Amino acid sequence: MPITRAAVWLDHHDAHVLQVNATQTLDHQIPQRIHFTRHHDSQVRSAHAFFGEIAMALAGIAKILVVGPLLEHAAFRTYLEKYHPSVCAQIVGWQTQEHSTEHEVIRLTREHFNKAAAAEPRFA
């Protein structure tokens, strides 16, 4: 059974793509690569490559929750809207949290998607 829901824990050091369902979790860590160049602002270039790698990891996931500090949310959202609008459309929530463990993010993700599933109308 494919996992169609995921959370992304995103900060300025790395990102964790946590695909979750009721019984299992798959973790894909994406470290931020910082490299310095003479003629370009390395922070912008490395953030662009970092966000691109995250977007590629999220492709094909139906529902995504983004968790992390607010500044990283804003930069990531701007990047997605410009370069990956299809991934941006898959995001169902943005949760601001400064520090979280992997277990806290998994718990938060399951709670978020369980609440959303309970609120969806059901037809007999």
Side-chain angles (χ1 to χ4, degrees), residues 38-85:
R38 281 179 76 179
H39 302 289
H40 301 285
D41 181 8
S42 64
Q43 295 296 325
V44 170
R45 290 185 58 160
S46 65
H48 186 83
F50 177 56
F51 290 156
E53 195 170 343
I54 297 168
M56 295 303 285
L58 295 174
I61 298 174
K63 295 182 180 182
I64 303 164
L65 175 66
V66 180
V67 181
L70 183 60
L71 291 177
E72 280 75 15
H73 282 189
F76 186 53
R77 182 181 291 196
T78 300
Y79 173 84
L80 288 178
E81 288 171 348
K82 186 171 184 179
Y83 297 105
H84 296 276

Side-chain angles (χ1 to χ4, degrees), residues 16-29:
H16 290 267
V17 176
L18 301 164
Q19 292 179 280
V20 298
N21 66 15
T23 59
Q24 70 185 96
T25 302
L26 302 174
D27 183 5
H28 176 71
Q29 184 176 6

